[in-house]
Amino acid sequence: MAGSDPRAALDGIVVLDLSRILAGPTCTQLLGDLGATVWKIENPKTGGDDTRQWGPPYAPGADGSDSDLSAYFMSANRNKRSVAADLSDPDDRAMLEALAARADIVIENFKPGGLIPFRLDHQTLCARHPGLIYCSISGFGQTGPNRDKPGYDLMAQGYGGIMSLTGAPDGPPMKVGVGIADVMCGMYATIGILAALRHRDATGEGQHIDLSLVDSQMAWTINEGVNYLTSGELPVRRGNAHPNIVPYDVFATRDGHVIVAVGNDAQFRRFCDFLNRADLAADPRFATNPGRLTHRDALLPEIAAALRFWTTDAIITGLEARKVPVGPVNTLDRALGSDQARARDAVVEMPGPAGPLRLLGNPLKLSATPVRYERPPPHFGADTEALKAFLSAKKAPE
């Protein structure tokens, strides 16, 4: 980790963060990890970001009671400064307008047009500050017939199609276990902002980034989306199976489950060798991946029956020796407690009100400008006075 390293990719970049919940905060946490100064604006009328109340669990306060740091809030809000500001208050709004004048980036996730009454919308701020990068995140985007509909991760997963692909073949549509539409939208927002920064640095010109949960979710249907566009055939739910590769699935073992991901025909032959089922490799129905796709209903029961006789560890050991992709289905304690997770700093510790906070680490490994873990998730309004000092220290540019 690089908490004391003065170098960071986004040193000197100032972010006015008007977002809440998960998509926007995911983006601004990434920017903060990369060294940007992120001022997170929270509404005092509601007690701050909605996710502060999305618990338990909560980090304990100094007195042992629950603090305002829910685990959900902490997952997307490190490396930020919390400012309590009411947009309807003229003095608070003037403070935010002054911050916008000093900022490189503004990010918000209000409903389209929701910031116009407060003069913090992209048309107003980008006209005043031509070099400003302004990112708007909403459920459906700033245009289109659904622009005014609210956007939540579950609705985005439903509208954008991913739920129709997720779940058991004979079960109901199923959302992904975490808010993946929000998270991926935050990732796309980060990419767009970094691209806009490069353009701004080259030309002096800022721009508006219009991003929606549904747009980004449709984009990451990836191969299944293009499968449909190419064939005209709707994909079906396959549980853990793959639409284009067989066998690529989770199988029951004598003592649990194992993942087998056979990526090519040579791997399939080695897999059959492990199973002592040379007949499967020799069967012309199964010799190639297109054939295995066509005859998956005949092949998979044979594989499942063979693997049930083996323990999970024996399967993993045997297939790894034969260079066939294989792996466990870890619970979070095993995943985050593994030697691999420790070696890669998958879990980091930051100071909390009653002891260390254990958080998920940033996966980026940058050799020259490593990510920083400098500021733990902030208590509500903890940095309001610091913002006022920041704004008074130097006159904002016109």
Side-chain angles (χ1 to χ4, degrees):
M1 293 188 294
S4 61
D5 192 325
R7 296 173 300 166
L10 298 181
D11 265 345
I13 296 297
V14 175
V15 180
L16 167 52
D17 183 4
L18 294 167
S19 70
R20 63 193 189 280
I21 313 292
L22 188 55
T26 293
C27 170
T28 51
Q29 177 169 271
L30 288 170
L31 298 175
D33 286 354
L34 293 170
T37 298
V38 179
W39 297 97
K40 180 179 179 68
I41 310 306
E42 300 192 68
N43 186 351
K45 291 181 177 178
T46 62
D49 191 310
D50 307 51
T51 62
R52 288 189 183 274
Q53 286 77 48
W54 287 10
Y58 296 91
D63 61 358
S65 63
D66 288 343
S67 71
D68 64 348
L69 301 177
S70 71
Y72 199 116
F73 176 83
M74 291 192 293
S75 73
N77 284 288
R78 67 167 169 257
N79 285 330
K80 301 179 186 180
R81 295 161 169 84
S82 173
V83 175
D86 179 358
L87 299 190
S88 64
D89 181 276
D91 292 336
D92 285 355
R93 192 163 60 247
M95 178 176 66
L96 299 184
E97 290 175 350
L99 178 54
R102 298 279 291 276
D104 300 278
I105 299 160
V106 174
I107 183 167
E108 56 90 8
N109 64 346
F110 284 69
K111 291 182 181 179
L115 286 171
I116 291 175
F118 308 111
R119 303 193 307 276
L120 294 169
D121 55 290
H122 73 88
Q123 295 98 329
T124 300
L125 292 185
C126 290
R128 289 180 182 173
H129 314 294
L132 185 65
I133 294 159
Y134 192 112
C135 180
S136 297
I137 294 175
S138 60
F140 289 88
Q142 304 297 304
T143 59
N146 292 342
R147 71 185 292 268
D148 294 321
K149 291 185 177 182
Y152 288 90
D153 179 272
L154 180 60
M155 273 77 88
Q157 289 196 40
Y159 193 96
I162 193 64
M163 286 179 65
S164 74
L165 311 178
T166 306
D170 56 351
M174 189 70 62
K175 77 176 184 69
V176 179
V178 296
I180 191 64
D182 274 327
V183 171
M184 284 302 300
C185 188
M187 297 287 187
Y188 280 113
T190 305
I191 294 168
I193 286 169
L194 294 178
L197 276 175
R198 179 170 170 80
H199 174 76
R200 194 278 306 272
D201 290 346
T203 67
E205 179 185 32
Q207 59 185 295
H208 181 220
I209 300 168
D210 170 9
L211 188 61
S212 86
L213 269 65
V214 169
D215 288 353
S216 61
Q217 196 268 269
M218 288 181 180
W220 57 257
T221 58
I222 309 298
N223 57 298
E224 283 284 53
V226 179
N227 282 349
Y228 163 70
L229 293 173
T230 301
S231 69
E233 297 180 5
L234 286 173
V236 299
R237 291 191 297 281
R238 300 185 185 279
N240 293 306
H242 196 287
N244 301 106
I245 307 171
V246 174
Y248 189 106
D249 211 332
V250 176
F251 295 93
T253 68
R254 187 194 302 174
D255 58 355
H257 292 85
V258 69
I259 297 168
V260 176
V262 173
N264 58 53
D265 298 337
Q267 289 177 2
F268 180 69
R269 291 191 292 272
R270 298 197 297 271
F271 175 57
C272 293
D273 175 69
F274 168 78
L275 295 178
N276 294 316
R277 291 294 306 270
D279 59 305
L280 294 179
D283 191 317
R285 293 176 299 169
F286 310 140
T288 67
N289 185 66
R292 294 191 292 275
L293 279 173
T294 300
H295 301 287
R296 78 160 73 220
D297 290 343
L299 175 61
L300 291 181
E302 298 287 342
I303 292 173
L307 288 174
R308 284 184 181 274
F309 288 100
W310 297 80
T311 66
T312 300
D313 287 346
I315 295 168
I316 291 174
T317 299
L319 292 184
E320 284 182 344
R322 289 168 173 81
K323 301 188 183 305
V324 175
V326 62
V329 181
N330 281 333
T331 51
L332 282 178
D333 57 332
R334 292 175 65 96
L336 297 177
S338 66
D339 292 343
Q340 182 67 20
R342 285 192 291 272
R344 299 291 292 176
D345 292 327
V347 177
V348 298
E349 288 192 355
M350 302 189 77
L357 303 174
R358 301 182 73 224
L359 305 174
L360 297 176
N362 190 312
L364 290 171
K365 312 299 180 190
L366 298 170
S367 62
T369 55
V371 300
R372 296 176 172 182
Y373 303 106
E374 293 191 334
R375 303 183 69 89
H379 292 292
F380 170 64
D383 303 287
T384 306
E385 295 305 313
L387 176 58
K388 294 176 181 177
F390 169 75
L391 294 174
S392 64
K394 180 181 177 182
K395 184 177 184 295
E398 297 297 332

